[in-house]
């Protein structure tokens, strides 16, 4: 929306003047520079937001995306302080004389991200054991994990499987409760964490689609059954289910 408004700023300006309600800010260079910065930084934030959406997202990968964005913010802060707008093409069009204010906005975002994700970053070592078990050093992990980490890291077959499979498939298929009971419980803990509210928001969207004003006879038990099927990740075997039912003889 911001990008479209910026693109149509001259048209909006002329339209408002025709209506006798001129918008003086659209002739103000400082306002336009601020708007251009908002267009660019919002685009960057939207790209991050998309990466944090979707089903089956692990907390470790979500935190990795957040930390990557924080590094970008620090890079942009330093570049803007030196007048470099290479990653802010819309702001570059306005050619503002002073960039210090925009560098300060990036610094505020860095602080905000640090505060919001402080609790998650405190368990970084535990996340590393889950996401990259072959890269952690045994002496850096809690004592109860050390023997199993050493056993895991010195198994070349498991190392090859780790590189070829997704993280969840690796733990499901090759980190058994018999050989690695502590590591498996640790993996189950972090694999079951909800990193975002995506599943909840998706569920409410399905509820809105199922329960409309035109379905006044929909009972609560039927609605519950519909939502259970809609939100399940297990595919329904329609052919098998239909075999258990008696077809109407007239059809």
């Amino acid at each position: 929306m911001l990008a479209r408004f910026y693109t149509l700023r001259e048209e909006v300006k002329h339209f408002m003047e025709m209506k006798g309600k001129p918008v003086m800010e659209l002739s103000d260079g400082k306002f336009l520079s601020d708007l251009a910065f908002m267009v660019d930084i919002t685009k960057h934030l939207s790209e991050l937001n998309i990466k944090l959406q979707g089903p089956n997202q692990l907390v470790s990968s979500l935190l990795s995306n957040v930390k990557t964005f924080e590094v970008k913010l620090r890079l942009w802060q330093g570049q803007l302080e030196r007048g470099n707008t290479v990653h802010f093409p819309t702001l570059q069009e306005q050619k503002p004389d002073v960039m210090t204010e925009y560098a300060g906005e990036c610094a505020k975002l860095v602080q905000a991200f640090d505060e919001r994700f402080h609790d998650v970053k405190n368990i970084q070592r535990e996340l590393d054991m889950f996401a990259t078990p072959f890269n952690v050093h045994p002496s850096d992990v809690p004592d109860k994990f050390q023997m199993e980490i050493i056993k895991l890291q010195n198994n070349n077959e498991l190392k090859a499987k780790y590189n070829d499979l997704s993280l969840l498939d690796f733990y499901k298929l090759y980190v058994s409760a018999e050989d690695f009971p502590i590591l498996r419980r640790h993996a189950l803990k972090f694999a079951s964490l909800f990193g975002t509210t995506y599943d909840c928001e998706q569920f409410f969207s399905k509820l809105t689609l199922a329960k409309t004003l035109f379905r006044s006879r929909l009972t609560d038990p039927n609605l519950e059954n519909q939502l259970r099927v809609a939100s399940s990740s297990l595919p329904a075997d329609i052919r098998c289910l239909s075999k258990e039912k008696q077809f109407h003889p007239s059809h």
Side-chain angles (χ1 to χ4, degrees), residues 14-249:
H14 294 322
F15 177 78
M16 296 304 292
E17 289 174 351
M18 288 171 55
K19 293 295 183 180
K21 298 179 181 179
V23 181
M24 304 308 297
E25 288 84 355
L26 294 177
S27 301
D28 185 357
K30 177 63 169 61
F31 174 85
L32 292 176
S33 295
D34 292 346
L35 177 62
F37 175 77
M38 285 297 298
V39 170
D40 289 329
I41 197 66
T42 303
K43 180 176 180 293
H44 292 313
L45 287 167
S46 296
E47 291 173 351
L48 172 64
N49 186 39
I50 292 173
K51 293 178 181 179
L52 301 180
Q53 296 178 12
N56 304 321
Q57 289 266 37
L58 297 175
V59 174
S60 54
S61 61
L62 295 173
L63 183 59
S64 176
N65 287 324
V66 170
K67 291 174 65 177
T68 299
F69 191 77
E70 287 183 319
V71 175
K72 291 179 180 179
L73 284 172
R74 292 188 177 93
L75 172 67
W76 298 336
Q77 178 185 350
Q79 289 177 334
L80 289 173
E81 288 174 349
R82 298 189 297 272
N84 185 347
T85 57
V86 63
H87 297 292
F88 293 82
T90 312
L91 179 62
Q92 197 172 40
E93 293 178 6
Q94 294 297 322
K95 297 180 175 61
D97 297 329
V98 181
M99 299 287 187
T100 309
E101 179 183 349
Y102 307 122
E105 294 299 325
C106 290
K108 291 178 183 177
L109 281 173
V110 171
Q111 183 179 359
F113 269 75
D114 187 61
E115 292 173 355
R116 288 177 179 269
F117 295 96
H118 178 73
D119 293 339
V120 183
K121 291 177 181 178
N122 284 339
I123 59 172
Q124 182 65 59
R125 185 174 63 175
E126 296 180 68
L127 282 172
D128 289 341
M129 282 194 300
F130 167 64
T132 57
F134 290 94
N135 294 339
V136 296
H137 198 279
S139 61
D140 294 334
V141 305
D143 296 343
K144 64 179 182 179
F145 292 97
Q146 290 175 347
M147 296 299 102
E148 291 189 9
I149 285 290
I150 292 174
K151 180 179 178 181
L152 182 75
Q153 291 181 348
N154 286 277
N155 189 316
N156 292 328
E157 182 181 355
L158 291 182
K159 186 178 295 185
K161 297 297 182 182
Y162 172 81
N163 293 327
D164 295 337
L165 298 173
S166 67
L167 188 60
L168 287 182
D169 287 339
F170 170 73
Y171 278 108
K172 287 179 184 178
L173 299 175
Y174 296 101
V175 183
S176 64
E178 292 77 17
D179 296 330
F180 305 96
I182 300 176
L183 277 177
R184 186 172 177 84
R185 284 197 299 270
H186 181 74
L188 287 171
K189 172 185 175 182
F190 284 94
S192 61
L193 289 178
F194 287 96
T196 69
T197 59
Y198 177 83
D199 290 333
C200 182
E201 294 169 1
Q202 190 180 49
F203 178 82
F204 279 110
S205 297
K206 293 174 180 177
L207 172 63
T208 303
L209 292 173
K211 191 172 185 179
T212 66
L213 296 175
F214 304 102
R215 304 186 68 181
S216 58
R217 299 182 63 182
L218 182 67
T219 64
D220 288 341
N222 286 338
L223 176 63
E224 181 179 348
N225 292 334
Q226 287 192 31
L227 292 175
R228 187 182 298 275
V229 172
S231 57
S232 174
S233 59
L234 299 176
D237 191 342
I238 303 299
R239 187 180 299 276
C240 179
L241 292 172
S242 62
K243 288 181 180 179
E244 300 176 359
K245 301 298 180 180
Q246 176 66 44
F247 291 101
H248 197 284

